[in-house]
Amino acid sequence: MFVCAGAKEVLLTQRKEEFYNRFIVPLKKEAQHLGITVNELKELLDKGEIK
């Protein structure tokens, strides 16, 4: 299979941007509504393990 040079990086960049828009933006908005600070949000993200 032939792939253009840099295709993987382009796809990852696009997916990261989509992830940011679909998940991070709404998360930050909800945190703001709940009065959760950026530091508290970081602590929540670091809490626990992903299984």
Side-chain angles (χ1 to χ4, degrees), residues 1-8 11:
M1 182 164 98
F2 296 97
V3 178
C4 295
K8 180 179 179 180
L11 289 174

Side-chain angles (χ1 to χ4, degrees), residues 11-28:
L11 289 174
L12 283 174
T13 299
Q14 290 173 346
R15 289 188 65 190
K16 287 178 182 182
E17 184 69 23
E18 182 181 342
F19 176 83
Y20 177 79
N21 290 322
R22 288 185 63 200
F23 298 102
I24 302 302
V25 171
L27 176 68
K28 289 176 73 175

